[in-house]
Amino acid sequence: MKNNLADDIFRTMVDNADTAVLYTEPSVPNSLNAKEYHVKYANKKAQNFFFIPSDSNENQSLEEIVKYDELLILANKVLETNEDENFNIIVKESDNILNYHVRIRSFNKGLLFALSLIKPKYITDKESKHPLGSLESRKRELEISNLFGIRVLDSNDSIICYLKPIFNKKGDVEDFRIDYINNRMGEIANDDSAFIEGQTILEYYPKNAENGVLEILADGYTTGENKEYTKEFIFNEKSVWLTTRAVKMNDGLILFSKDVTQEKTYEAQLFIQNRLLSEAEHVANIGSFRWNLAKEQIKYSDNVYRLFGYDPNEFDDKYDRLLTFLHPNDFEKVKSSFKAARINKSKSDLVFRVYTKSKELRYMNTIAECYQKEGNWYMVGVIRDVTKQIEAESVLQIKNTELKRTNADLEAFNRVASHDLQEPLRKVQMFVSRLDDEEEGRLSNRSQDYLSKIKYSSDRMRNLINNLLSYSKIDEVGEQPRRVDLNDVLYNVLEDLGERIKDLDAKVDSVSLPVVNGIQFLLEQLFANLIGNSLKYVNEGVRPNIKIIGSIVSGDKSLVESLLPNINYVKLQFIDNGYRIRKKVSRENF
Amino acid sequence: MDKLRILLVDDDEDDRQFFADALEGIELNTDLHQLENGKSCMEYLLTDTDNTPDLVFLDLNMPIMNGFECLEAIRRTPHLKDLLVAIYSTSSAERDIEETFEKGANIYIKKPSSFNELKKSLKQVVKMNWAYHLNDFKKENFLLKI
């Protein structure tokens, strides 16, 4: 009972082990040259490995049991020598290449096989116990080499194939037969190696005759030179770019092809982007550069060369060469700015002067930033020609200076007008006012008339000065146009003119006065002048009647030349019953 | 009732005459003293505190020491810092008006061009209840632009 239990425990353990265990005994015990064996024990792994049915009890030759030549040879050796054998074998199971460590030993009356799966490693002939150079050894070595080769070739990223030339009657290479191709084509063209092998390169891909591939390969075979080419192929309507290296070996060519479709796509995109960038730079009159800060070389875009008056790549890409273009007075500034940017990895933004190829002085602005990539520091930036802007700024500065001077003049004028001109006038008015007060009733009619005229003229002059001052104040205030209700404008003006309107019993009406975009003060001035004129230029004894009508008109309907078509304008009509003003005067009112 | 003591500082003889006549014309109990520039004004005011008037009319544009400088000098003097000062000038420039108020003027009168208007202005200023107005100081109330 005990023994049976122990048997069961060990059987279970052995069945679950990673090692395949097989024990076989000769049908006739103690027979060294036994032909018939039967399997006394095989755990599950061994049953799978040797394809042994679990209920097998029939006698078989050892050859039938172990199936692999390798094992049979060594099993026989163990039987002969009674010494253990340890060795590795490679087995191809469906698509997998597996390595087993095998141990065969003489056990009890038979042979005990133990096979355990090991991680792949290089297997050399040294592990074989066969005498070097023996037929078995060479055969085994070949098998191992084949398996090893298949494994290596299939695991390679490249498409590897071996081509044999086919000659025409003249002795020229007219095609190549594909003797071997690894399984990488399956991923690209969905074709098995077995399908491709045996075909010629023109049978498999007829366009090889037109795309230059056949010509290159034939030349490579004939001259023995290594060839390298990148070509586009169409498989299943899909574009595939392959970079191929062809090397002559014995009487054929070995081709290593790498799928570079992705790189080609990126390259094409990059090409387009570079073209776009180049065009954009050209249009925007800017150039760009990339500087590996560890080196003294700067990579410029084509337009940088053009900005300096050169053709692309006409001057070398050394940092020092760039400095030679600089205006001497800007040399240190640029050098120290770049130096600081280089050391501090900081942003650089500066304007400097350069002399172009034709010795023309131009202003350049460069804005550059530093960034780190794969451990290297780079400075990338743009260079743009800002000569026009600088010149425009300088013109603007001159204009500003002129404007400031004009403003100063205007201010001086204001002072003159407000004080120096008004002061004597005020005195005149004051004396007139006193004369009028003190001599009232004592002056002759004629003198009284003269005095009235002096008073009227001085009042008028004061008004003119005031208007002049108001006008000059417009710029001083710098008021911006805003929404102005013309009804408010009219109201304010009528308030100011209230006394005169009352005296003359004038009638002022308005119709549809809109809200406009303007400066209130100016509009009030305009209304005051026009209404003032209407009140002034009226025949004696006639009651002034003024009507102001607002309407919207389209520019193209108007007869005024300066108006733009398709734009709406506000039309204001001031209609009165006074006498006509000369045209010249009326223009100045506006 | 004591006379209201008024000091006029103006370099223009005509204007001083207009002022004196106008003051006389409004028939108020006033005592007018006239000076020609800021320097003589300060000398007069610093000689004797008895000279301190009730109200000073100060022109701006004057030789030797102008109205701005004189106003500053008045406000720097402890016993004159509360003296009522009326600026009496031809200038209507905002900048001048602003500056005088910043420097401590109490009222700004633009010299009028008619005698009647001058009388009206002076009457208004002289009769003004200063104690009441200064308690509720608003610049626009003290800007007489005529």
Side-chain angles (χ1 to χ4, degrees), chain A residues 23-41:
Chain A
Y23 176 65
T24 181
E25 268 183 9
S27 310
V28 183
N30 301 323
S31 168
L32 253 181
N33 298 313
K35 297 288 179 200
E36 297 289 299
Y37 282 78
H38 67 259
V39 176
K40 292 287 280 183
Y41 173 75

Side-chain angles (χ1 to χ4, degrees), chain B residues 112-129:
Chain B
S113 52
S114 115
F115 190 64
N116 281 336
E117 282 169 8
L118 176 60
K119 282 199 282 187
K120 220 162 85 181
S121 302
L122 289 186
K123 199 170 181 176
Q124 194 182 341
V125 175
V126 169
K127 291 182 83 177
M128 193 181 262
N129 183 345

Side-chain angles (χ1 to χ4, degrees), chain A residues 411 415 418-419 422-423 426-427 429-431 433-434 437-438 462 469 473, chain B residues 12 14-15 17-18 21 61 90 95-96 110-116 118:
Chain A
E411 211 169 297
R415 195 153 185 82
S418 67
H419 189 266
Q422 289 199 81
E423 186 56 19
R426 188 181 61 79
K427 287 269 190 75
Q429 285 180 305
M430 194 63 121
F431 281 119
S433 140
R434 296 212 65 184
D437 280 355
E438 288 177 18
R462 172 160 296 278
L469 269 175
K473 272 181 190 165
Chain B
D12 191 306
D14 292 333
D15 274 339
Q17 190 58 53
F18 292 147
D21 291 350
N61 196 13
T90 332
R95 205 173 44 191
D96 287 347
K110 187 176 178 302
K111 285 180 181 175
S113 52
S114 115
F115 190 64
N116 281 336
L118 176 60

Side-chain angles (χ1 to χ4, degrees), chain A residues 226-281:
Chain A
N226 294 347
K227 294 284 175 186
E228 197 161 329
Y229 57 90
T230 301
K231 296 278 178 192
E232 186 187 18
F233 298 86
I234 308 290
F235 294 110
N236 304 324
E237 297 178 358
K238 260 179 72 181
S239 164
V240 178
W241 283 85
L242 297 176
T243 290
T244 302
R245 187 173 164 78
V247 179
K248 189 175 180 185
M249 198 179 88
N250 298 335
D251 53 353
L253 287 176
I254 297 182
L255 268 55
F256 302 89
S257 300
K258 198 167 163 48
D259 183 354
V260 292
T261 312
Q262 200 64 46
E263 286 92 324
K264 271 281 168 188
T265 311
Y266 291 148
E267 199 180 298
Q269 282 172 354
L270 199 64
F271 178 75
I272 292 166
Q273 279 174 1
N274 279 340
R275 278 294 299 272
L276 279 173
L277 184 66
S278 177
E279 279 300 311
E281 284 188 355

Side-chain angles (χ1 to χ4, degrees), chain B residues 100-113:
Chain B
T100 53
F101 279 115
E102 277 167 22
K103 286 183 160 64
N106 298 104
I107 194 164
Y108 194 104
I109 305 161
K110 187 176 178 302
K111 285 180 181 175
S113 52

Side-chain angles (χ1 to χ4, degrees), chain A residues 434-475:
Chain A
R434 296 212 65 184
L435 203 59
D436 203 19
D437 280 355
E438 288 177 18
E439 303 300 322
E440 194 181 0
R442 281 193 281 183
L443 290 174
S444 66
N445 284 346
R446 182 178 281 191
S447 297
Q448 189 63 50
D449 192 31
Y450 290 157
L451 195 62
S452 296
K453 284 191 188 318
I454 296 170
K455 197 178 169 190
Y456 174 77
S457 295
S458 54
D459 283 349
R460 194 163 136 67
M461 190 167 176
R462 172 160 296 278
N463 277 338
L464 286 172
I465 292 172
N466 283 341
N467 285 345
L468 210 59
L469 269 175
S470 303
Y471 185 73
S472 68
K473 272 181 190 165
I474 300 163
D475 282 348

